[in-house]
Structure formats: C-alpha cells, structure tokens
Amino acid sequence: MRVTSRVYSPAVALETTLILHGVPKPAAAPLAAELRDIVRARRANPALVGVVAGQPIVGLSDAELLTLLDAPAVTKANTSNLGLILHQGLHGATTVSTTMELAAAAGVRLFATGGLGGLHKGLATHPDISADLAAFTRFPVAVVTSGVKSLLDVEGTRELLETLGIPVVGFRTDRFPAFYLRDSDAKVDARFDDLAPLAAFLDAELTRTGRGIVVCNPIPHADELPKAQWHAWLAQAEAQTPAQGRDATPQLLGKLHELSAGATLRANLALVRSNAALAADLARTMAKP
Ligand code: PSU
Ligand code: MN
C-alpha cells in the first residue's frame, strides 16, 4: 500500500471517523483544529489519518481535511472495506482499525481516540463485534482511549480483548473505563501512574510483539456523566434507534447528543482532548533518546 505520509516524530495519529461521523457537523472542523493544537502544545506532531479520493494519507493537509469536511458523503472505513475504498477512489473516514493500519504503515506508534468499538449488545440475535478489536492483533500502535462506549457491552468487550491476547493498561486507573463513565465492572491488566514507566513499557511491548496496546485514560472527573442519568438517556436512545451494523454507533451517538441536550457531546469532546494530551506526552517521552 502506498501511503502518503507526512509524519514528524514524535507523532500522534488522530482518526477521521470521530471527526466526521462521531460529532455533529458544526463541531467537526473545530474539533480537528483543537486536537491538533493540543498535540502541538505538548511538543508532539499531530497526524490526521484519512482517505482522500482513494489515497490513504497519514498527516492530512488543511486542504485535504477541508475536502473531507465538505464532501457530501465520506465512507466509514474499517479493515474490511478500506481496500475497496482505495480501489474505487472514494473518500474514507478511518475508524480505530484503519487508523491503526495506516499509522503502522507510516511508522506512527501512538494514536489518540475517544472510545474503541467493541462488542454490541444483543450478541445472540445480531453478532456485531467491531473490527477495532482484531486490529490490535495486527498493527503495532498504542491507542489512548477512554475505554469502550458505555452503549456497548463493556464487560464483554473487555473479555474479548483478553481472548485476543491484547494488553490493556490503565493510566492512573485500575478499572476499564466506559467512555462517559470512569469505571466499569472490568479491570485493566496493569496500572501506571507515571509517564516514563508507561512509555518504556509501550516502547518495549510494541517492539517485542509487533501488535497493538490499549492504553485506558478515563474521562476527567469533572466531565464524567452522572451514572443514573446516563442509563436513562441510553435506554431512551436505544428505543429510538433501530439501525444495525456500521451505522449503529453514529446513529446512537447522535440520538444521545440530542436527548442529553449536548451533555454527551461535551463529555465526548472532553475525553478526546484529554486522550490527545496523554498520547502527545507519551509520544514525546518515547522519542527521548
Ligand atoms: N469514539 C468516539 N466517536 C466515534 C468512534 C469512536 O468517540 O465515532 C468511532 C471510532 O472510529 C471507532 C468506531 O473505531 O466508532 C467503531 O465503529 P464500529 O462499531 O462500527 O466498528
Ligand atoms: Mn460494528
């Protein structure tokens, strides 16, 4: 694969699905700008990942980002349809799985996102397991995330990560976080309280295995949603959102933003910012000689 790579170490990859499909349209461009500023302020270099007219790019230029923001439709790309998007010359928004694939191809080892895809509820009738999980078994990238969205089966997703042999570590937490909530009933494999030891582990483990690592960074305390309120919004959103498959996550997120009058969106933005900051700190620490 010929990836257009504009990457300067220490680099942090950022995904375009979060920008283009994860937040309402007016929030997209400001979020992209803000994430890039956060990474730069911490003396690391942001690399937005996406596909423009069939060309995979790590480090989108401003013009390329604008092309995607202005396009009427940008296909959500996971590892199953990325090749088809390239073949057909389409625009593609990269999810966690394809951002990892392209970042790895460009030699980028850190990536900040919001939440991983995972195991959807209702496994018995409609098995839907995100391609994000398997990507960790193939691409050597450490992904800073606030866990998996609490609208998925959080504990089941944690089990699957274990089954797939994927290391899951926590930054200043023992618990596997659930996106809008700092905690879930599941745990991480190890807790790190300082940057240097975590950066050393990531460096050694990426090199040792050639596979990915989940770095859990819970939503900041001040931005966490009240648990009972969250469960009420989720129940309402689920009842009103019939979509399944690739569209399910964006539709449910949109419904939640609406029902909560923006509270879930604010929480989402807060945790993504915090993840971008941590990923930049880790990239910088890992790049030290
Ligand atoms: N995190 C967010 N918003 C998002 C996503 C993650 O805060 O929109 C996206 C990511 O791109 C993730 C994708 O890879 O949702 C998972 O989609 P699916 O369940 O269809 O694999
Ligand atoms: Mn899915």
Side-chain angles (χ1 to χ4, degrees):
M1 178 172 42
R2 300 249 306 251
V3 177
T4 299
S5 168
R6 300 186 198 101
V7 171
Y8 311 93
S9 178
V12 173
L14 300 167
E15 58 156 304
T16 37
T17 292
L18 166 65
I19 309 271
L20 294 165
H21 298 295
V23 297
K25 203 150 181 122
L31 176 59
E34 197 183 5
L35 293 181
R36 296 202 285 186
D37 288 346
I38 288 170
V39 171
R40 287 193 190 110
R42 300 203 170 227
R43 286 176 285 122
N45 301 302
L48 259 175
V49 178
V51 180
V52 179
Q55 182 56 39
I57 300 171
V58 179
L60 292 173
S61 67
D62 291 344
E64 288 160 345
L65 175 60
L66 260 185
T67 300
L68 295 184
L69 287 167
D70 288 345
V74 179
T75 310
K76 181 176 164 186
N78 66 27
T79 35
S80 66
N81 65 338
L82 175 63
L84 290 165
I85 290 168
L86 305 185
H87 180 73
Q88 294 164 345
L90 300 176
H91 295 324
T94 54
T95 59
V96 168
S97 66
T98 44
T99 303
M100 288 179 79
E101 181 166 9
L102 297 180
V108 178
R109 300 198 298 166
L110 254 299
F111 162 26
T113 186
L116 304 179
L119 170 64
H120 283 259
K121 294 174 187 170
L123 183 63
T125 50
H126 181 82
D128 182 349
I129 301 172
S130 174
D132 289 355
L133 301 187
F136 282 87
T137 68
R138 300 168 58 195
F139 307 118
V141 179
V143 183
V144 180
T145 169
S146 301
V148 298
K149 263 165 260 147
S150 0
L151 48 95
L152 303 178
D153 178 347
V154 178
E155 285 77 20
T157 303
R158 178 66 187 93
E159 283 295 340
L160 268 178
L161 287 164
E162 168 87 21
T163 302
L164 293 167
I166 298 161
V168 178
V169 300
F171 185 66
R172 299 181 181 162
T173 185
D174 302 300
R175 317 298 306 179
F176 186 62
F179 205 71
Y180 306 111
L181 309 173
R182 288 181 57 85
D183 290 344
S184 73
D185 291 335
K187 287 188 187 159
V188 294
D189 291 315
R191 170 186 178 127
F192 288 84
D193 285 293
D194 297 301
L195 282 178
L198 177 54
F201 168 71
L202 297 180
D203 190 17
E205 182 72 355
L206 291 168
T207 306
R208 184 183 76 84
T209 64
R211 303 188 298 261
I213 304 165
V214 178
V215 180
C216 295
N217 184 36
I219 183 170
H221 278 286
D223 301 298
E224 188 181 26
L225 297 181
K227 206 170 191 160
Q229 177 68 79
W230 157 253
H231 284 292
W233 283 328
L234 178 61
Q236 270 177 284
E238 283 173 336
Q240 295 175 31
T241 311
Q244 291 181 328
R246 218 168 261 151
D247 297 331
T249 304
Q251 288 203 15
L252 257 181
L253 287 177
K255 181 55 77 179
L256 281 162
H257 294 337
E258 196 185 300
L259 286 170
S260 68
T264 56
L265 178 59
R266 283 190 294 280
N268 193 337
L269 296 176
L271 65 86
V272 177
R273 284 185 204 112
S274 155
N275 293 343
L278 177 56
D281 287 344
L282 287 168
R284 206 184 56 243
T285 308
M286 281 166 72
K288 276 190 190 140

